[in-house]
Amino acid sequence: SRNIRGDVPAPAPANPNPLSAGLGGLPQPGVRIRGCRWPRRRGSVDCPNLEFEYGDADGHGAELAELYSYTEEPELSTNRRCFEEDFHAQVQGRRWLELDGAQQKAYVMRLLDGLEVVNRDKRLKVARAILYLAQGVFGDCDNEGDVLHWSRHNSFLLYRLGTFTAFLELLNMEIDNSQACSSALRKPAISLADSTELRVLLSVMYLMVENIRVEQEMDPPEWKTCRETFRMELSFPMHTEEPFALLLFTMVTKFCSGHAPHFPMKKVLLLLWKVLLFTLGGFEALQTMKVRKREELGLPPLPEDSIQVMRSMRAASPPTYSIELVEQQQQKRGHRSRRVRPLMKQDSLDIYNERDPFKNDEAGVDEEENDDVDSGIEGELDLMERDAIIPAMPAQRPPIERVSFPKGLPWAPKVRQKDIEHFLEASRNKFIGFTLGQDTETLIGLPRPIHESVKTLKQHKYVSISDVQIKNEEELEKCPMSLGEEEVQETPCEILYRTMLYNLPQYMIALLKILLAAAPTSKAKTDSINILADVLPEEMPITVLQSMKLGIDVNRHKEIIVKSISALLLLLLKHFKLNHIYQFEYVSQHLVFANCIPLILKFFNQNIMSYITAKNSISVLDYPHCTVYDLPELTAESLLRH
C-alpha cells in the first residue's frame, strides 16, 4: 500500500501487452503496428502517450502483411504471371471474379492435379498459381478491401477441395529433401532463392489458416462449418500420428541444429503461432474455458475477467536505465535542500486511485511547492523524461470503456487458504503462545482487530483451479490403487502436450535461440544461427537507397520473429496452466533452464522509449496496398517518412 500511495517510489511495471505488441514491436504514433494502437503524441515532442489494445493478434490485413518481407515483393508479380498464363489457357476471355462456383471448383481441381507431376519446376508454377488465388487475385481487384475479401473466399474454396492436405504432403517432401539441405550447408551465404519452394508452400498454408481462423459477422453458415472442421483436423491428427503444430516445432529444432539453415523461420513461426491460436483458442476462448472448468470443479465464479482488466489499464511509462535513475536522485539531492515528494513514473494503477485519504498535512505544502518542483525538473531533465515523470491529466485522455473498480487495485485481491492459516498461526503465537494447526474458525483469545482481519481475508479467499489439481494429484499419489487411474479429457491442449513431451526441452531451447538471435542488443557470434535466410536477396544492395530499404526490412523481420515467439510462448503457458498446473510448471522449468529470464531482461537493457518509437515499416510496400496501387518512387527521404 505504501507504493500505491506514493510514500516509496514504485518501479514502473512491465508493458502489460507482451502478446499483441510482442517484445519487439516498434510502433509509431498514429499508426497501428504489431497489434497495438498508438495515438498521436501529446505533451512532449519526444515522448508519446502510449496506448495499446490487448488482444490475440493485430488486424486481419496487418497480420497478412507481416507474412511477406519487402524483398519478396517481385514474387507477387511472378505468382500473378504463373496464374494468368495457366488460367487464360483454360478459360478464354473471362476473369476469375466472373466465374460461378462450379467453374471455380473445376479450375482449382485441375490445378491440384498439376501438383502431382514429377517435374519440380512445373509443380512450383502450379503452387504459385494457387498462392495467387490465396492472395486474393489482386490483379482483378480495385482496392485493398476487395483483395482481402477474395483472399478469404478463395481460402475457404481451396480448403473444401483438399488443398491444405495436398500442400501438407508437399511440405513433408521439402522438409525431407536432403539435397536442398546439403546444398544450403555448402553455401557460404544463404538467400531467398534457397527457400523458394518452402516459402510458397508455407505462404499458402498460412493464408488458409489465417483467413479461415478469423471470424466475421457476414460469414455464411458453410464457412462456419468449414472453420470448425478445419480446427478439428489441425487439433486431432487424422491421417498422421501427430498434430500439424508438432511438424512445425520439428522444423524449428531442425533449423536451430544447423541441419536445415535454409528454412524460412519467420513464416514457420508465424504459421505455428496461428495454428496454436486457432486450435487452442485465444484469450476469449481461454477465459470461457476457465469459467466452465471452475463450474465443473464446483468452485465459485471468478471475481473478474482478467483480460478485460488488462485491456482497461493504461500503458506504463517505459523505464530508463538504472544508472540514469541514480544520477537523477543524486542531482535532486544536490540541487534541493527542502523536502519534496519523491518523483516516480506514472503507474498503470494511478488511473484507479483517487486522492489518498492517508496523506499527511504536508500535502498542502507540497502543492504550494509545485511550481518550484517543476522548475527544478526542467533544469535537470530533458523533455522526454519530463513527460514520462509528469504525465497528462487523465481528464485529457479520450473516453475509453473501462471496468469500474473500487478505489485501490484494478483487480480483485485474492487470498489463499494458506495465507489465512499463516496469519492466524503468527497471531496465536503472539497473543496466546500456542497454535491450533489448520483451524481457521477458532478466534478465542485474539483481539478484535485480528477478528476483523480474518473476516476480511475470508471475504477475499480464492481457490484456484491449480490448487484443486495439486490436491487431486496428492490424493492419487497417496491412494493409487483405491482411486484408480485418472480420467484425462482428450482436449487439443492435452494432445499437443503429450506429443511435445518427449522433445519439449529441445523445442523450448530452439525457440529461445531464435529469440536471442533476433534480440536488438545481440552481438553477432560465429556460433549464432542465421535468421535472415528468408529476407536477404541473392544480390546484395549496391546503392544507399537499397541498403536503407534492406535495413528496414531486416529490423522488421526481427521484430515479427520476436512477436511470434513471445506470442506462442505466452499462449502455450496460459493453456498448459489451465489444462494442468504441472504441465505449466514443466514447460516453465525448461524455459528457466534455457536462460529465458536473462534473455527477456536483455530486451530491456536499452533505451526502451527509443526502441518502441522506432519505425521499421514502409507502408506503401505492405500487402495488400502494394498489389493494387502504383508504387511511388522511393527515396531516402520518403523511406524516413514512411
Side-chain angles (χ1 to χ4, degrees):
S1 61
R2 286 174 57 82
N3 288 347
I4 296 174
R5 291 205 301 268
D7 297 333
V8 178
N15 185 355
N17 183 21
L19 181 56
S20 299
L23 292 174
L26 306 181
Q28 185 74 358
V31 297
R32 178 176 172 153
I33 295 179
R34 312 287 175 261
C36 298
R37 190 184 301 280
W38 304 84
R40 292 293 176 189
R41 303 184 182 189
R42 296 193 296 272
S44 169
V45 177
D46 299 319
C47 182
N49 195 355
L50 307 178
E51 291 197 10
F52 63 92
E53 289 185 2
Y54 195 79
D56 297 314
D58 202 345
H60 184 51
E63 292 295 338
L64 296 184
E66 291 181 352
L67 178 65
Y68 311 102
S69 60
Y70 296 145
T71 49
E72 290 180 276
E73 179 193 348
E75 296 189 10
L76 293 172
S77 57
T78 305
N79 299 338
R80 177 180 178 180
R81 185 177 66 253
C82 291
F83 171 81
E84 290 180 346
E85 288 176 357
D86 185 83
F87 183 75
H88 293 318
Q90 301 296 324
V91 183
Q92 300 292 334
R94 301 185 68 184
R95 300 188 307 165
W96 172 262
L97 310 185
E98 299 171 351
L99 301 182
D100 57 27
Q103 292 172 325
Q104 289 179 349
K105 288 181 181 179
Y107 179 73
V108 171
M109 290 300 295
R110 203 198 64 78
L111 281 179
L112 292 177
D113 290 339
L115 293 176
E116 304 292 335
V117 299
V118 178
N119 189 294
R120 187 183 181 87
D121 294 333
K122 291 182 178 179
R123 201 164 61 229
L124 179 60
K125 284 186 177 181
V126 174
R128 284 192 179 278
I130 295 176
L131 175 57
Y132 178 72
L133 285 174
Q135 289 172 339
V137 287
F138 48 81
D140 298 339
C141 298
D142 299 326
N143 54 63
E144 298 179 31
D146 290 344
V147 176
L148 296 178
H149 167 76
W150 282 103
S151 179
R152 295 192 78 228
H153 174 274
N154 294 340
S155 294
F156 279 97
L157 174 64
L158 291 171
Y159 169 71
R160 288 200 299 268
L161 298 178
T163 306
F164 192 87
T165 304
F167 272 71
L168 180 58
E169 295 176 359
L170 293 176
L171 180 62
N172 279 300
M173 290 172 55
E174 289 297 329
I175 293 174
D176 298 332
N177 188 349
S178 58
Q179 183 179 356
C181 294
S182 59
S183 175
L185 289 171
R186 288 194 301 268
K187 288 188 175 182
I190 304 173
S191 65
L192 277 171
D194 298 298
S195 59
T196 302
E197 290 83 1
L198 278 170
R199 285 187 292 107
V200 171
L201 297 176
L202 291 169
S203 295
V204 172
M205 300 174 88
Y206 177 87
L207 289 170
M208 291 180 65
V209 169
E210 180 64 9
N211 281 320
I212 297 176
R213 179 188 72 85
V214 175
E215 300 182 24
Q216 294 184 3
E217 294 182 1
M218 303 302 293
D219 288 350
E222 56 268 21
W223 284 15
K224 297 179 181 179
T225 305
C226 283
R227 182 178 296 115
E228 293 305 316
T229 306
F230 193 26
R231 180 185 285 115
M232 294 291 290
E233 288 182 2
L234 293 176
S235 304
F236 304 96
M238 301 291 183
H239 307 291
T240 60
E241 297 180 357
E242 55 191 31
F244 177 57
L246 196 71
L247 176 65
L248 300 176
F249 272 117
T250 305
M251 292 184 70
V252 174
T253 54
K254 193 173 182 180
F255 170 81
C256 290
S257 65
H259 298 306
H262 65 295
F263 280 1
M265 261 308 103
K266 186 187 80 172
K267 287 181 168 54
V268 173
L269 291 169
L270 282 173
L271 179 57
L272 175 57
W273 169 34
K274 293 306 172 63
V275 167
L276 293 178
L277 189 60
F278 187 29
T279 56
L280 301 182
F283 283 167
E284 301 291 345
L286 188 71
Q287 183 70 16
T288 304
M289 288 187 285
K290 191 182 298 184
V291 171
R292 186 171 62 247
K293 196 158 190 175
R294 290 186 67 86
E295 291 178 355
E296 293 173 355
L297 296 175
L299 298 175
L302 291 167
E304 81 277 302
D305 186 345
S306 58
I307 303 302
Q308 294 300 327
V309 172
M310 193 64 71
R311 284 173 177 166
S312 64
M313 294 177 68
R314 63 166 294 174
S317 300
T320 55
Y321 287 112
S322 57
I323 189 171
E324 294 178 10
L325 293 175
V326 174
E327 291 175 356
Q328 292 169 19
Q329 292 175 0
Q330 292 174 350
Q331 290 174 0
K332 281 182 280 188
R333 292 193 191 102
H335 285 283
R336 291 194 298 274
S337 58
R338 65 172 176 265
R339 181 184 180 278
V340 179
R341 282 179 299 173
L343 296 174
M344 60 185 231
K345 290 192 174 288
Q346 177 68 22
D347 198 305
S348 300
L349 307 180
D350 291 351
I351 268 185
Y352 305 96
N353 293 319
E354 302 170 1
R355 185 176 178 85
D356 195 340
F358 299 102
K359 287 184 179 176
N360 54 26
D361 297 335
E362 292 177 355
V365 179
D366 288 336
E367 290 173 3
E368 295 174 1
E369 295 175 353
N370 274 345
D371 296 336
D372 298 332
V373 174
D374 290 348
S375 61
I377 293 171
E378 282 192 286
E380 297 172 26
L381 304 177
D382 58 10
L383 282 174
M384 175 177 170
E385 284 300 317
R386 175 181 169 83
D387 189 65
I389 293 177
I390 307 178
M393 294 297 291
Q396 298 173 357
R397 296 167 56 80
I400 301 174
E401 282 191 25
R402 298 198 177 278
V403 183
S404 58
F405 294 99
K407 189 176 71 172
L409 294 173
W411 51 80
K414 298 175 182 176
V415 180
R416 298 177 303 170
Q417 177 69 19
K418 288 184 178 179
D419 296 330
I420 303 176
E421 294 173 2
H422 291 164
F423 175 74
L424 279 174
E425 182 180 1
S427 301
R428 286 166 180 156
N429 278 327
K430 180 178 179 180
F431 294 103
I432 303 177
F434 63 90
T435 62
L436 298 177
Q438 297 180 349
D439 182 5
T440 60
E441 301 298 328
T442 305
L443 302 178
I444 298 175
L446 297 176
R448 176 59 56 184
I450 300 298
H451 289 226
E452 296 295 331
S453 299
V454 172
K455 180 181 178 182
T456 304
L457 289 174
K458 288 183 177 180
Q459 286 176 351
H460 296 91
K461 181 180 175 182
Y462 175 76
V463 180
S464 66
I465 297 174
S466 302
D467 294 335
V468 177
Q469 292 171 342
I470 292 174
K471 186 177 180 181
N472 291 340
E473 290 294 330
E474 291 174 350
E475 292 177 355
L476 283 171
E477 189 176 357
K478 290 178 182 177
C479 310
M481 302 301 293
S482 58
L483 293 178
E485 188 175 350
E486 181 184 7
E487 294 184 5
V488 180
Q489 189 176 0
E490 291 291 311
T491 62
C493 185
E494 181 68 30
I495 292 175
L496 177 65
Y497 180 80
R498 189 185 305 154
T499 53
M500 288 178 61
L501 182 60
Y502 183 72
N503 292 316
L504 196 143
Q506 286 77 15
Y507 297 148
M508 297 300 108
I509 291 173
L511 289 174
L512 294 182
K513 272 187 176 181
I514 301 174
L515 194 60
L516 175 62
T521 55
S522 293
K523 297 179 180 178
K525 298 180 181 179
T526 54
D527 59 342
S528 62
I529 55 179
N530 178 21
I531 60 172
L532 305 178
D534 52 333
V535 69
L536 296 178
E538 285 188 89
E539 298 179 0
M540 295 306 291
I542 57 176
T543 66
V544 175
L545 180 63
Q546 291 175 344
S547 299
M548 289 182 63
K549 180 181 173 183
L550 182 59
I552 293 174
D553 203 4
V554 167
N555 290 335
R556 175 178 178 267
H557 181 82
K558 287 183 176 181
E559 70 182 46
I560 294 172
I561 287 179
V562 171
K563 167 190 171 181
S564 58
I565 293 179
S566 56
L568 72 89
L569 282 177
L570 184 61
L571 198 66
L572 283 176
L573 289 173
K574 282 180 174 290
H575 276 279
F576 285 153
K577 186 176 182 181
L578 178 62
N579 195 53
H580 201 289
I581 183 61
Y582 287 163
Q583 295 178 356
F584 164 77
E585 290 185 357
Y586 186 65
V587 175
S588 302
Q589 180 184 25
H590 283 291
L591 286 174
V592 173
F593 288 166
N595 286 332
C596 180
I597 295 176
L599 176 56
I600 294 175
L601 294 177
K602 193 178 184 70
F603 278 88
F604 297 105
N605 185 28
Q606 57 180 317
N607 190 324
I608 299 297
M609 182 56 71
S610 300
Y611 185 41
I612 64 176
T613 54
K615 187 173 185 300
N616 289 311
S617 62
I618 309 171
S619 56
V620 295
L621 297 181
D622 285 338
Y623 170 90
H625 184 278
C626 65
T627 61
V628 292
Y629 297 108
D630 294 331
L631 299 180
E633 182 180 358
L634 293 177
T635 62
E637 292 76 12
S638 64
L639 286 182
L640 294 175
R641 285 198 304 270
H642 286 300

